[in-house]
Amino acid sequence: MGDSILKTVGLTKSFDGKNPVLKDIDFSINKGEVVVIIGPSGCGKSTFLRCLSLLENIDSGEILLAGKPIGLDKKDIHKYREKIGMVFQSYDLFPHKTVLQNIILAPVIVQKRKKEEVNREAEKLLERVGLLEKKNVYPRQLSGGQKQRAAIVRSLIMNPEVLLLDEITAALDPEMVREVLQVVLELAKEGMTMIIVTHEMNFAKAVADRVIFLDNGEIAEEETPQEFFECPKTERAKKFLNTFDYETSKI
Amino acid sequence: MWGSDVIMDYGFMAEYALMYVKAAELTIKISAYGIIGAFAVGLICCLIKELKIPVLYRIVQMYIELSRNTPLIIQLFFLYFGFPKMGIVLSSRSCGIIGLIFLGGSYMAEAFRTGIDSVPNVQRESAYSLGMTKRQTFLRIIIPQAVATSVPVFCANVIFLIKETSVFSAVALADLMYVTKDLIGLYYKTDEALLMLVISYLIILLPISFISSWIERRVRYAGFGNTGSV
Amino acid sequence: MQDLGIQVLFEGINFERLLKGLWISLKLGLISMLFSVILGLLLGCVMAGKNRIIKFLCRVYLEIVRIMPQLVLLFLVYFGAAKHFGADISGETAAVIVFTFWGTAEMGDLVRSALISIPKHQYESGYSLGLSKLQLYVNIIMPQTFQRLLPSAVNLLTRMIKTTSLVVLIGVVEVVKVGKQIIDASRYDNPKAALWIYGTIFLLYFAVCYPISKLSSALERRLKV
């Protein structure tokens, strides 16, 4: 593979020490690539992202950033997390800080950048996602979609090497899903490296360079979105896509 | 309150009002020391529990259970009458303060913990995923949010602890109850003594109660641009 | 051999006497709790109701009880009533009156908050199923209220038991008084009796309250699941 930016080798994770949620995952993403991970609930896709951002300890295997295994020293972990951005399903803006304060907190205290400079960059980014006029507002006064756009900006301003998006639209009302996904699509166009867990199949089709179908803690399929959505190879993926179409068509 | 035959001897009340003022001063002083101490003990216990420091964690756990499941008056008796037999002689005053700290520490620790537990885990995780250290996360993300939940509990604890000081007469502290009992015993001025007792406690507790409900409203409604609904 | 003094607990029927003394405070606590639960259930229903004047009066009652130390209330009844109703009111009676007065207010407030915490749609879906008001309360509202109420009511019981320790200050012969008698009786042959007696009383209270508060938190956890 070319210039792999983030890579896992034999990553295994279990919560009880017995039944692995993730089994021996070999995964790699190149710079500028967008990988979408889909799969039935409980298949381990969120856990995978959480392992990648080191929120979970892994049982065995390795995570490599730009070809180098990551250290287990506290400092290394913080340095690594700085470079890997993560946006959660919901409720992750800090409620006691305004939108702007939320965004500039980490660049100022973690990256020790100058406040004025960060402020300027934050405003630029907020403008791009259409939230500039909300910069001095507290998260509670935002809609779900606005919150998620602000959360994306909060990760972006750290200039992450890779951005992890964990079902960021799952808790949103349908009419707000679009505005958030639009932002992600634009990021993809600009060459942002992203790993996305989502249930929005149309969005997955549109944004992904590569689709990974995770089932029962294993990578069951891995191919381009065209291949995957039109003729999935495994029975399990076919079944999954069928139930999915059925569910979405009902809505 | 007790029927029509109550005629207060105001002269008597005026004469002995000073005793109540002194007693109230004592109550307030001991409460203040006790509450500050309890706050410190609570904070330390909470940190030990939060950081899961191996042996201390167990000790704190045991202390909290002991303190919460025994009455203050029994704790005081043990301190005042039992401890001297181990060679530790404590004055009434020290007994009162230590007793209050022993009791209050666990309540304060729980107040801290309630606050910390009320912050959703995803807050911690987002901070970590932005590269923030444990310390930064705790100080900048967890604590400010925990305060909103903890402050009302602290206020309630303060009132609770001041009320609990009413048992100090049991270890011969000349507090409000002590003075009242004295006046009833010596002069049989029951109504006057009881009235002054009630008034004294109202003067001490009402302002604190008002202040705490004011604080509670502020942290609940004014915080973080919240307009009242969650 | 160094005399530890622990034998004071096992001399004659000393330990049994202590337990009997403890039972006296516990009995007062349990009786007051029983009255408080019955009256508190009624009060809570009234407080959850719509009548503003009654609600206000209940609020005042609750605030008075909350702001006054229980010992002050105990003094008011014990000394005040003794003077004005002529007859000496026993410490036990005063204790039951005061602790019921206090417990009813606390229980009432617990019942009220349990009642109002039942979401409105529970009522609505009950009615939309065609249940009568009585059926609704018996089958839907009361069981849920009871479930929510149980942990805090059990918790109130430990507070009640801890509070009954105050009765020693109005002359009721309970565990502390018995302890003092034992200490006095063995003053010369066992100078360390106070340590063991008060230590034992301390642990006895713990032994009673700890299981109850564990039960309360277990019930609470079960509620959350």
Side-chain angles (χ1 to χ4, degrees):
Chain A
M1 270 192 216
D3 48 348
S4 160
I5 180 78
L6 188 62
K7 190 173 177 176
T8 71
V9 182
L11 186 149
T12 300
K13 161 81 190 166
S14 71
F15 287 107
D16 54 3
K18 282 180 298 220
N19 310 306
V21 196
L22 294 171
K23 298 168 202 158
D24 205 16
I25 304 272
D26 293 325
F27 165 89
S28 173
I29 183 168
N30 291 342
K31 214 166 171 45
E33 197 183 8
V34 176
V35 174
V36 171
I37 302 177
I38 58 177
S41 54
C43 71
K45 45 195 197 305
S46 281
T47 308
F48 183 58
L49 285 199
R50 294 168 61 84
C51 288
L52 287 181
S53 62
L54 304 187
L55 291 172
E56 304 284 354
N57 294 321
I58 59 174
D59 297 5
S60 59
E62 233 181 347
I63 300 173
L64 301 98
L65 181 65
K68 274 178 259 155
I70 52 166
L72 290 174
D73 201 59
K74 257 191 198 160
K75 266 215 177 107
D76 296 328
I77 290 177
H78 294 307
K79 265 265 142 344
Y80 171 85
R81 280 179 173 153
E82 247 183 88
K83 291 180 186 149
I84 307 291
M86 175 135 175
V87 182
F88 297 79
Q89 200 182 86
S90 60
Y91 310 125
D92 65 327
L93 286 180
F94 306 129
H96 59 300
K97 295 190 178 293
T98 62
V99 170
L100 191 65
Q101 287 168 344
N102 256 284
I103 294 166
I104 66 172
L105 178 69
V108 171
I109 70 167
V110 177
Q111 297 180 323
K112 315 279 182 215
R113 282 154 66 185
K114 281 221 180 63
K115 207 172 168 185
E116 299 82 59
E117 173 223 318
V118 179
N119 258 330
R120 244 175 292 137
E121 194 185 338
E123 284 177 7
K124 231 183 268 166
L125 286 169
L126 278 173
E127 184 159 25
R128 269 188 46 196
V129 300
L131 280 178
L132 188 56
E133 76 278 19
K134 298 279 184 195
K135 67 173 184 177
N136 292 322
V137 149
Y138 284 95
R140 272 185 220 274
Q141 293 157 306
L142 297 179
S143 73
Q146 292 170 330
K147 276 186 212 171
Q148 287 305 59
R149 282 184 279 156
I152 292 171
V153 170
R154 190 178 64 180
S155 287
L156 276 183
I157 200 165
M158 303 289 287
N159 294 317
E161 303 274 359
V162 182
L163 194 56
L164 312 175
L165 306 180
D166 186 8
E167 301 201 35
I168 57 168
T169 58
L172 295 183
D173 291 337
E175 69 268 23
M176 289 169 188
V177 171
R178 254 182 90 94
E179 62 184 53
V180 174
L181 296 185
Q182 196 56 44
V183 171
V184 180
L185 278 170
E186 270 164 40
L187 285 176
K189 239 181 265 165
E190 285 161 25
M192 186 76 209
T193 316
M194 290 188 281
I195 306 172
I196 303 173
V197 166
T198 185
H199 279 300
E200 301 286 336
M201 292 304 145
N202 288 324
F203 166 67
K205 238 182 266 184
V207 79
D209 296 315
R210 179 155 49 106
V211 173
I212 286 178
F213 178 63
L214 206 59
D215 188 36
N216 223 349
E218 289 167 312
I219 296 182
E221 271 191 59
E222 183 170 6
E223 58 230 325
T224 64
Q226 291 77 20
E227 285 170 319
F228 179 76
F229 287 106
E230 269 142 44
C231 47
K233 292 191 203 83
T234 59
E235 251 341 280
R236 292 188 291 188
K238 264 179 217 160
K239 233 175 158 182
F240 173 74
L241 285 173
N242 277 338
T243 53
F244 224 91
D245 281 337
Y246 173 67
E247 273 171 19
T248 43
S249 65
K250 250 175 76 173
I251 301 166
Chain B
M1 187 179 206
W2 305 108
S4 55
D5 59 333
V6 178
I7 302 151
M8 291 289 170
D9 182 346
Y10 294 106
F12 175 86
M13 284 169 70
E15 199 176 325
Y16 287 96
L18 196 64
M19 277 178 78
Y20 278 87
V21 173
K22 275 207 178 124
E25 250 173 52
L26 183 78
T27 300
I28 293 169
K29 244 186 216 162
I30 292 187
S31 302
Y33 287 130
I35 288 164
I36 292 168
F39 192 86
V41 169
L43 184 65
I44 293 167
C45 288
C46 178
L47 283 178
I48 288 172
K49 277 183 89 169
E50 201 49 27
L51 300 172
K52 298 210 164 65
I53 300 174
V55 183
L56 290 177
Y57 178 82
R58 294 254 159 242
I59 295 173
V60 164
Q61 196 74 23
M62 250 162 57
Y63 154 65
I64 288 177
E65 295 295 358
L66 270 179
S67 148
R68 289 189 70 102
N69 287 300
T70 47
L72 176 61
I73 191 169
I74 304 295
Q75 297 167 5
L76 288 176
F77 280 135
F78 187 55
L79 280 172
Y80 192 64
F81 299 110
F83 265 44
K85 309 297 172 196
M86 297 192 294
I88 306 166
V89 182
L90 297 165
S91 69
S92 299
R93 241 179 121 90
S94 331
C95 263
I97 295 172
I98 295 172
L100 208 57
I101 294 176
F102 181 82
L103 177 77
S106 67
Y107 282 83
M108 291 299 187
E110 296 287 292
F112 280 114
R113 204 188 48 104
T114 320
I116 290 171
D117 283 357
S118 73
V119 180
N121 209 23
V122 70
Q123 289 285 319
R124 211 168 266 129
E125 295 181 340
S126 338
Y128 289 157
S129 70
L130 287 167
M132 289 166 70
T133 62
K134 241 186 162 160
R135 223 180 78 109
Q136 287 171 329
T137 306
F138 196 68
L139 291 179
R140 291 175 183 267
I141 306 301
I142 308 297
I143 292 281
Q145 294 184 57
V147 166
T149 320
S150 286
V151 163
V153 190
F154 284 131
C155 292
N157 284 350
V158 166
I159 294 173
F160 164 72
L161 289 176
I162 295 175
K163 282 167 64 182
E164 286 286 307
T165 61
S166 64
V167 303
F168 283 170
S169 61
V171 290
L173 262 173
D175 74 339
L176 290 165
M177 305 307 290
Y178 190 92
V179 171
T180 307
K181 218 172 170 177
D182 242 23
L183 290 186
I184 293 174
L186 288 175
Y187 307 106
Y188 204 55
K189 294 282 186 189
T190 312
D191 296 325
E192 290 81 359
L194 289 176
L195 182 65
M196 288 203 283
L197 173 70
V198 169
I199 291 173
S200 305
Y201 269 110
L202 283 180
I203 290 176
I204 297 174
L205 288 166
L206 269 183
I208 297 175
S209 164
F210 281 130
I211 292 170
S212 77
S213 45
W214 178 76
I215 294 176
E216 191 176 335
R217 266 198 308 276
R218 268 191 69 100
V219 295
R220 192 186 297 162
Y221 296 125
F224 320 146
N226 189 359
T227 45
S229 63
V230 175
Chain C
M1 205 179 85
Q2 176 81 31
D3 186 6
L4 286 173
I6 193 172
Q7 67 274 18
V8 68
L9 292 175
F10 309 109
E11 265 160 28
I13 53 164
N14 279 355
F15 193 68
E16 205 186 319
R17 282 175 67 201
L18 279 179
L19 286 181
K20 274 191 180 148
L22 182 69
W23 173 239
I24 289 172
S25 339
L26 286 185
K27 211 166 56 183
L28 291 176
L30 291 174
I31 294 170
S32 310
M33 189 67 193
L34 182 70
F35 286 139
S36 299
V37 167
I38 297 168
L39 296 173
L41 281 171
L42 293 174
L43 182 72
C45 292
V46 171
M47 284 168 88
K50 292 200 177 72
N51 191 321
R52 287 196 155 190
I53 298 166
I54 292 179
K55 273 168 96 164
F56 175 74
L57 291 176
C58 292
R59 198 75 227 164
V60 171
Y61 163 45
L62 186 64
E63 291 303 325
I64 289 174
V65 172
R66 286 230 169 120
I67 206 157
M68 273 296 128
Q70 287 100 325
L71 189 58
V72 172
L73 298 175
L74 211 50
F75 267 39
L76 284 179
V77 172
Y78 185 64
F79 293 113
K83 185 177 172 192
H84 290 280
F85 300 116
D88 255 358
I89 172 171
S90 75
E92 279 94 338
T93 317
V96 170
I97 292 172
V98 166
F99 297 146
T100 304
F101 183 71
W102 167 69
T104 301
E106 293 285 355
M107 188 70 194
D109 197 40
L110 295 178
V111 173
R112 182 195 61 91
S113 53
L115 272 175
I116 61 171
S117 73
I118 308 281
K120 212 170 141 201
H121 61 78
Q122 289 289 318
Y123 291 84
E124 287 165 353
S125 49
Y127 282 129
S128 72
L129 287 170
L131 298 179
S132 71
K133 196 165 183 175
L134 182 69
Q135 287 170 323
L136 176 80
Y137 272 87
V138 170
N139 293 299
I140 317 266
I141 307 301
M142 285 331 260
Q144 290 187 57
T145 310
F146 185 68
Q147 249 183 10
R148 283 170 202 226
L149 189 59
L150 202 55
S152 43
V154 172
N155 187 42
L156 181 61
L157 178 61
T158 60
R159 286 165 66 200
M160 183 67 87
I161 290 171
K162 282 189 287 177
T163 308
T164 47
S165 63
L166 297 177
V167 295
V168 65
L169 298 179
I170 55 165
V172 176
V173 180
E174 42 66 84
V175 62
V176 174
K177 267 274 161 33
V178 172
K180 276 188 174 149
Q181 289 166 2
I182 296 174
I183 294 166
D184 280 344
S186 52
R187 169 160 300 155
Y188 297 108
D189 45 298
N190 193 343
K192 285 198 173 156
L195 177 66
W196 295 102
I197 295 294
Y198 284 115
T200 306
I201 296 174
F202 180 79
L203 291 177
L204 282 177
Y205 264 103
F206 179 74
V208 172
C209 291
Y210 181 69
I212 305 177
S213 59
K214 274 281 136 194
L215 174 68
S216 167
S217 39
L219 288 169
E220 189 132 9
R221 265 199 305 279
R222 209 185 59 179
L223 193 63
K224 274 193 188 139
V225 173

